[in-house]
Every structure is written in structure tokens, then in C-alpha cells.
Amino acid sequence: MSNDKVASVADIQVSVVTDYIAQQSIEAEQQFVFSYTITVTNNSAETVQLLSRYWLITDANGDSSTVTGEGVIGQQPFIKTDQSFTYSSGCVLKSPLGNMQGHYQMRTDSAELIQVDIPVFRLAKPNILN
């Protein structure tokens, strides 16, 4: 795993681990595949529900795209106090280096909507920065 990032907002912690998937990447076609595993930990006093996500994905060429939608991996999970939810997903870049950032919108038991920022994290083919 090539990258670890952690951010904490409103007692919700988001940690990210990334990996380069060489077996699925086709460098000659500028297709670089990355996976990321995110763990959302609820350290607040209330259960939260992850309602939606927003991603800004940027490659080393300066091309960017956004991804928005309900929940993550087809789910809108409830995360109880002192519990975590972990999922994995991926993206394809046209360069061997890029980054992602974004946020989740969540709702607390008391119906408060909160935005939890996802820290900027790097997607990098191993040894690309050496």
C-alpha cells in the first residue's frame, strides 16, 4: 500500500490507503488503475448515516473529473458510535500520478447534516517519484 492519509471532522475520522494495480494497468494506452480503501470511524456521540459522496480526481496532466452520488459502493451505511465502516473502490487515470479529494455528506441521529472532508490523497505508480 502506497499512501496513508487521515482526517477528522466533527468527530468523524476518514483514513485512506491507496494501491497501484499493475495487472489492470496498460501504460501504452495511458491507463493507470488505482484502488483505494477508506475507513470511516465514528468517534461522535451519535450514529451517523453516510448519505452521499463528492470526489474531485486530478491526474498529472491537469485533467480533472468529479464523481458525485448517493452513498458509497451502493450503500448508505449507518455508522454507530465507536464503530467503523470500510470499503474499497478504484479509479483509472491517464497518467501514473494523480490525486483525489472530496467529502461525504452525513446525517446524525438528531437529523443534523454534516460535511466530512476527505483528505487529499495521492495516487502514484510505485517509484514514479524517485
Side-chain angles (χ1 to χ4, degrees):
M1 303 282 169
S2 59
N3 193 16
D4 292 350
K5 282 285 188 171
V6 177
S8 185
V9 176
D11 296 323
I12 307 296
Q13 179 180 316
V14 178
S15 61
V16 182
V17 178
T18 64
D19 200 15
Y20 175 68
I21 311 299
Q23 308 89 308
Q24 295 178 19
S25 298
I26 306 170
E27 291 188 35
E29 296 179 16
Q30 294 184 320
Q31 179 176 306
F32 300 87
V33 180
F34 298 89
S35 70
Y36 54 89
T37 299
I38 296 184
T39 299
V40 180
T41 302
N42 180 4
N43 297 313
S44 75
E46 294 186 80
T47 296
V48 296
Q49 182 181 18
L50 194 160
L51 300 175
S52 64
R53 70 193 182 289
Y54 166 87
W55 288 112
L56 174 62
I57 305 166
T58 307
D59 68 21
N61 302 321
D63 294 331
S64 64
S65 61
T66 58
V67 176
T68 59
E70 291 186 356
V72 291
I73 62 166
Q75 301 178 48
Q76 290 182 311
F78 288 89
I79 308 167
K80 295 180 180 180
T81 300
D82 297 325
Q83 299 288 313
S84 296
F85 176 79
T86 299
Y87 72 96
S88 295
S89 191
C91 72
V92 179
L93 298 180
K94 292 180 181 178
S95 69
L97 182 65
N99 64 54
M100 291 179 65
Q101 62 187 354
H103 62 261
Y104 297 123
Q105 183 168 33
M106 298 186 176
R107 181 174 46 228
T108 66
D109 277 344
S110 57
E112 177 186 2
L113 291 177
I114 58 173
Q115 179 174 302
V116 177
D117 291 332
I118 303 162
V120 175
F121 58 92
R122 177 177 289 154
L123 303 166
K125 179 182 171 189
N127 304 316
I128 195 71
L129 298 175
N130 291 354

